[in-house]
Every structure is written in structure tokens, then in C-alpha cells.
Amino acid sequence: MRSFKQKHLRWRSSPRYLSSATSTQLHITPITSLLIANRGEISLRIHRTAKRLGIKTTTLYTDPDATSQHASCSPHSIGLGAANGYLDGERIVRLAKLHGIQALHPGYGFLSENSAFAKRCEEEGIVFVGPPAQAMADMGDKARSKEIMTKAGVPCVPGYHGSDQGEAELLEHAKQIQFPVLLKSVKGGGGKGMRIVLEEGEFLQQLKSARAEAKASFGEGGEVMLVEKYIVRPRHVEVQVFADKYGNCVALGERDCSVQRRHQKILEESPAPDLDDVTRLDLWEKARTAALAVGYVGAGTVEFILDKDTGDFYFMEMNTRLQVEHPVSEMVTGTDLVEWQFRVAAGERLPLTQKEIMERIQERGAAIEARIYAENPEKGFIPDSGKLIRLKTPKADEDVRIDAGFVQGDTVTEAYDGMIAKLIVRGRDRETAIRKMELALRDYEVVGLSTNIEFLKRLCRSPAFIEGDVETGFIEKWKAELFDPVVIEPEVYVQAALGVFASQPAEVDQPLGESFGFGASGSVRKLIFKSLDVLDQKEGEMVEVSITQKGNNLFDAQVVRKGEEAQVFENLVSSPASASGDSSLVTFFPHTRIESTVVQDPNNDNKITVFQHGLKTELSLVSPTWYEKALGLKEVTASVVAPMPCKILKNEVKEGDTVTRGAPLVVIESMKMETVIRSPQDGVIKRLAHKEGDTEVTSLKEMCHDGILHGYEQLSPNQYKSTSHASIILHQGTNQSPNGALETQAIFRADQARHKRQQE
């Protein structure tokens, strides 16, 4: 495909799409009070626009969100109790009536695409800021929506969308379509209940897994599946549409959302790269056709799958709500789509015609959104949770926008989706926007939990991404490049040591009379660090740093690595400014000036985080051997944990089973995600500590025995001890990680004696 050149865009006027002029009588009832039936950043986002328009808002919160930002953004806020309170539609409708609230905005997620909830609002005379219930129902049923789209002339992916839901029947349909196929729920969204099946032999297992996840996510009926042809090199391209009550419908450009993990978007951008003008305008046309086919009103997103090999595109689904990535469209059109929602819900016509929107897109360049998640990409994007000990964000301006639901000191709970914020940038063209995105990401400093920020930086530097060569399998395709090993420079260790010393008072007596901090000139202090960076080429290596104070803010430093010659830095001029557990350092090395932030985790003094040159490095401060002995401490080697509480969905093995390396042991669920824990080695199942459905915490006292190995699916082989046989016990334990989260652990206990007997 040839690149997008905006000056070539031409559109032939069609009155029902482009014109806001109509003789239909307007019936406008301004919205004056609003209940925001959501949480987090979208609740805050809606509140900001409502406040600007003079609309009184009331927010909702659950027990886990009692101290959240959205709970306190309005003087009117109502508690819902348990974590699932946002899904109690009947109660929310009653609360709106009880408090005399005129309108309700559902945000996205939760009840935003629940047609029964929209209908209940209509029945109770509450203005639902969204599409009509019937349009939502038509598009919400994936099978029904494809029937409507086919009739309207919108191309759909070949597949089976019928009522035959038996395992054998679905398998037969899959064989007729030909593998690979895609399984997804008729109520699906956000990648939930979706599985790619590459060959016939894995169909039934994937079907059961998809159904279980879909039913857990969408409730009764979620287990009804569609079977579609899987496009091998697909792109995910969607069109933002908006319609009013008078038959006007416009497209506010398209967004490419191809860069995904677990079928969930990470980066979204507009305009879509490497898309010719004919295809672009055809996408817009088909999206409007789709919306008008169901009598749509309000904001919606029509999603298409685009085949990179043929250039053909197919209707995938319509999201009948505001999308997470709507700010991208706002940036390239200069609009406030939430304001549009309020105006259309009040009975106004669309504020702009299609021609006016196209002119704005041509003028405003390109925009990209990055989702900042609490997760660990280096360990398979496993979700994380915990307190935001430090949160420093980029500076916002007209081209840099941050939509966030958290501030420093808040806790990201495992009860909900782990998105911390959305970072949106705009540039005169795509290349400029990418560069601005990386610079903004380099300004982030987050301590307290894992995030995907470092991964997003690498993504912005990827040659393939910069060239616009994107597809939904992008991360897997470029995995080696995106997770390329890193080398921690010696200056990072020096700054870490200076930062640690600067945060500690001088002349504080410690065991054996030593002191931390700097005392008299000429004093020498030594620290030993261990790298915690999974991508570090020498992960886990011990690095000794010696700091000698020669005068006021004048130091010598020496960095010693095993098997390497010591690196010496003389006459360093460093100006530390310690404040509440973190140190901002400006140090003049022989040939460069380095500014760093060094943060010690208050929940774990041994964990040090260094932000330097726009990069984040995590280190562990290793206590001297004599100090460990004196305190009875012993570092547990070859151990790792899943940093999240969980529910046991399925035990894939039973006691006495023999398993091979990589075999699935148990399926867990946390933060709305299923994760498979696999065996890191050959072994025999000794005991299963939990049954399916368990969420209770059990003791991990047995872990105190020697020879324990904690294994998790995403670990590299060199993180496991070499044992020929193992007994496997699954625990959901009481161990606390530095961020306070309960941790799920798959424990592999060496059983050398039995193995020896078997050999004999």
C-alpha cells in the first residue's frame, strides 16, 4: 500500500452523511445533572467536560475505590460497596432516580454496552448518554451484527455465526472454514474469550478455555461462540463514527490499533500508517453504512480487520460506546467527543460536517496514544498491582495529553483493569509524533509496581514500527528486537551508591561500628548491588561500588564486576538533594554531566530504582554476608513469584501425574486475565494444595525447607535449579511482595532421593 498523503483526500458529498442542515424540528433539552456510572480515568475525563459545560456530576465508587481520584473529584459521590458494584445496573438506576439525576454516562466497560441497562434508563426517563438500546443490542450480538452488515453490503470475515453450539458441530464448521480459525464470544470485547486455533488437534481445548473466560467476563450467554477464518497477517483498523437523531452520520478518521498483546491494544494512532486513500475513504464509507444500518445515535467505533497480504478489509464488530482510545481522534480533529455526546443526547445536531472534519484532519497531523499499564512485559505482560510510591509524569501541553486515574500515593488494585494512564501526543506528521511520544515516555518515573513504560520506549525505537509495518502479531514477530538484552552502564551503579548514601544520615552507628552516609573527608563506603532487570545480559550479577569522599561534594568511585577490570572515576562533583526517600543527583563525570533520580522503596529498603538518561534500572542492595548471618537472613535463590492474587480456574494435572517441561499445570485468573502456569522442568505431581474455584489464602510454611524452587511460566530456563525430578505443589500464599500484593506461587520441590531410587 502506498503511504497516506492527506492532500489527495477527496470526498463526494452525500447529504445523510455530511450535512447538518435539515428541516427536522429540533427538540433540545440541555443536560443539567449527570451520574457517571464508571471509575478511574474515564470517570475523571467525563467529569472534566461536564464541569466545563456547567453540568452537575455525581460519581460512584466501590470499597476498593473509596480513596480513588474519581471518588473525590465531585462533591457528590455515592458508595456501591463490593468491588462488583459497578455492574449492579438496577441499583444504579434506582440511585439516579432517588437523587433526581437527569442523565447517565456509562463510560466504557462495565455496563456501557449492556442494552438491557440502556433500556432500563429509557424506561425510567433517564437520559442515557449513548446509543439507543436496540442499536446496542443489534451490534452487541456478534452473529446478529454480521447478518445486518452482510445485508447492508459491509464485507464480513468468512465464518460461522449460527446457533449450532455443540463441540462437534463447531469443530465441523471450523474444518469447513479451514484452519487457522478464530474463536470469539458473541458478546466478546477486549480480547476476552478469544482464541486463535492453528490446527484441528487443539480446537476443543481452546474452545473450552475461550468459553470459560467469556462466561466469566460477560455472564450468561457469553459462552456462545463464533468461528471465523483467521487472517494470518491482520491489521486492526477502526473508524470513529458519530451520529445524531436527525440522520446525520460522520467519520472522525480511522485509528490503527494493530500493536497488541493478548488481543488487547497497547498503542493506537491516527491516521493509520501505510494506507492508501482509496482504502481509507472506503473504510469511512463502510463504517457510516454500518452505523446507519442499525439506526445508530451517538459515539461508536466500527472495527475492521485488514489483510496485509491482500489489502482487503472485513467488518469485525462495532463498539457501541466511547472507546478507550477516543483521545487520538480528538487530537487529530480538534474536538471533544464527550461534549459531542452530551449535545447529541440533548437533541442537538452534529457540530461539524464530514467536509469540515476532513479539513481539520489535514491540518492537525498525526496522534498516537500509549496505554500505561501495571504489568511486566518482560515476564509475558503479567499484570501487577500495588501502591504508586513515586509517580512523576511528563509535562502536558497542547500536543501532550495525559488521561490518568491515579496520582502518587494511590494504589492500583487487582480488582480492576491495570491501566494507570493514557499518554497521547500529536505531531505535524507520524514520525514527529513517534519521537515526541518517546521523549514524553522518558519523563515518566514510576516506582512501586511494574509498568510497560520501558517496553513502550523500545517500541517507539523499533525500525519496523517507525516504518509503519504493523500488524496484530507485531510484538511476537519482533520479539527478539523488542526484548533485546541491555547492558547497565557503570555510571548507573555509581549514581545508585551516591543516592543511597545521600539519603542516609552521616555517622549513624551500624553493626560492628560501621556507618552509613559520609563523615570525615577521606571516608570510604562500599555497597554491593544486584541487577533485577530481566533483560540485563548479566542479570543477577553482583557489582561492588566503592565511594570515597575527598571533599565537599567531591568523590572518587570504583565499580568492580566479576571477571572484569575495575572501573575508576576520579574527582566526581556530585550535588545530591535528598527528599522523602528519593535523591535527585547531578554528577559531573570526567566527560559528561549526569542527572539521576534514585528511589529506595520504603517497603523494601534493599530495592533501589534509578532513573537516568530516560531509562529505568532496578537494583537490589545486597547486605554483606556477616550482616545476613547476624540477622538470620538468607537470600532465596532461583525463585520468582506471580505478583498478583488470583482465583484457581482449572487444575490441568492431578496428583501422581508425570509432566514434562512446559506442560500446563494450572490456570489462574487475576485482573480479568487468564494465565497458565507451566512446569519449568520434568517432574511428578506430589500434591495439589488448591482445587478449582479456590480463592482462599493458605500458609506457605512448607516453603522454609531447603531445596525449594519457585517456578513461573515466564521464567527463563537459567532461573531454575537443575533437577531431574520434582514434586509440584501449587499454593496461593501469604508472602507479601514489596508492593504489598499477595502472590501466587507454583512450588517445585526437589525429590532427589526418590529419583535416585528410580535410577537404581
Side-chain angles (χ1 to χ4, degrees), residues 60 72 93 150 164 220 254 329 349 538 602 680-681:
L60 301 174
S72 58
V93 170
T150 300
D164 290 342
E220 202 65 37
E254 80 289 341
S329 297
R349 293 192 180 96
K538 299 180 179 179
Q681 59 195 56

Side-chain angles (χ1 to χ4, degrees), residues 226-503:
L226 308 179
V227 186
E228 294 182 343
K229 179 65 180 175
Y230 177 66
I231 308 299
V232 176
R233 291 212 307 151
R235 287 178 62 181
H236 181 137
V237 181
E238 61 189 30
V239 179
Q240 177 71 63
V241 295
F242 222 108
D244 62 22
K245 298 176 181 179
Y246 308 100
N248 300 307
C249 183
V250 295
L252 290 99
E254 80 289 341
R255 299 182 292 252
D256 190 291
C257 309
S258 299
V259 181
Q260 306 177 359
R261 90 293 186 252
R262 293 195 299 259
H263 307 296
Q264 289 189 313
K265 305 161 189 173
I266 299 176
L267 282 181
E268 302 98 352
E269 58 178 309
S270 182
D274 193 26
L275 194 64
D276 64 83
D277 300 344
V278 173
T279 303
R280 187 183 310 279
L281 293 178
D282 197 14
L283 281 164
W284 294 8
E285 167 73 15
K286 293 300 191 294
R288 284 187 294 260
T289 299
L292 291 168
V294 293
Y296 201 81
V297 175
T301 298
V302 183
E303 299 191 346
F304 296 94
I305 187 168
L306 191 152
D307 191 330
K308 277 180 68 73
D309 295 321
T310 66
D312 297 331
F313 64 84
Y314 307 95
F315 171 83
M316 189 159 52
E317 63 183 4
M318 184 175 187
N319 290 313
T320 54
R321 53 173 167 80
L322 199 66
Q323 287 278 85
V324 175
E325 58 271 23
H326 76 274
V328 175
S329 297
E330 292 180 323
M331 290 288 254
V332 296
T333 58
T335 57
D336 182 334
L337 295 185
V338 175
E339 179 178 347
W340 279 39
Q341 286 187 298
F342 290 145
R343 295 195 181 282
V344 167
E348 296 185 29
R349 293 192 180 96
L350 293 178
L352 295 174
T353 66
Q354 188 69 68
K355 181 180 178 182
E356 291 168 331
I357 291 169
M358 291 176 68
E359 289 172 351
R360 290 194 177 198
I361 291 175
Q362 291 172 358
E363 295 169 355
R364 294 182 62 83
I368 303 176
E369 175 182 285
R371 302 190 188 190
I372 310 298
Y373 277 107
E375 64 183 16
N376 193 328
E378 292 74 27
K379 294 184 178 179
F381 294 93
I382 188 170
D384 202 358
S385 58
K387 184 177 180 179
L388 291 164
I389 295 166
R390 179 175 177 81
L391 176 58
K392 176 179 173 289
T393 64
K395 183 179 180 181
D397 57 36
E398 64 178 359
D399 289 336
V400 178
R401 167 177 166 180
I402 301 172
D403 284 10
F406 300 92
V407 298
Q408 183 168 302
D410 286 351
T411 296
V412 179
T413 172
E414 70 279 354
Y416 305 110
D417 183 81
M419 189 170 68
I420 299 171
K422 299 180 303 193
L423 173 64
I424 312 99
V425 302
R426 181 174 69 91
R428 65 179 183 179
D429 52 36
R430 183 173 183 270
E431 292 73 17
T432 303
I434 292 173
R435 291 195 300 269
K436 293 176 76 170
M437 171 62 76
E438 186 190 358
L439 288 175
L441 287 167
R442 290 168 73 91
D443 286 340
Y444 262 107
E445 294 180 3
V446 181
V447 178
L449 41 68
S450 301
T451 75
N452 63 339
I453 294 173
E454 299 304 304
F455 173 79
L456 292 170
K457 295 174 191 174
R458 296 193 295 272
L459 194 55
C460 289
R461 296 191 296 269
S462 165
F465 178 70
I466 294 171
E467 292 170 8
D469 183 16
V470 294
E471 57 186 271
T472 57
F474 183 90
I475 293 176
E476 185 62 30
K477 180 178 180 179
W478 299 103
K479 189 173 183 179
E481 173 190 294
L482 294 172
F483 295 98
D484 193 40
V486 299
V487 176
I488 299 178
E489 299 296 335
E491 290 85 354
V492 173
Y493 289 105
V494 172
Q495 291 290 79
L498 289 170
V500 170
F501 289 136
S503 66

Side-chain angles (χ1 to χ4, degrees), residues 177-246:
I177 297 167
Q178 296 186 342
F179 291 92
V181 298
L182 182 68
L183 290 171
K184 59 182 180 180
S185 167
V186 296
K187 294 186 176 182
K192 306 294 192 306
M194 185 182 294
R195 296 291 186 275
I196 298 168
V197 186
L198 299 177
E199 56 187 29
E200 181 179 341
E202 62 182 23
F203 182 85
L204 295 180
Q205 180 183 1
Q206 295 281 42
L207 175 62
K208 291 176 181 178
S209 176
R211 279 180 158 166
E213 185 177 82
K215 189 170 184 179
S217 299
F218 309 116
E220 202 65 37
E223 72 278 8
V224 178
M225 306 302 291
L226 308 179
V227 186
E228 294 182 343
K229 179 65 180 175
Y230 177 66
I231 308 299
V232 176
R233 291 212 307 151
R235 287 178 62 181
H236 181 137
V237 181
E238 61 189 30
V239 179
Q240 177 71 63
V241 295
F242 222 108
D244 62 22
K245 298 176 181 179
Y246 308 100

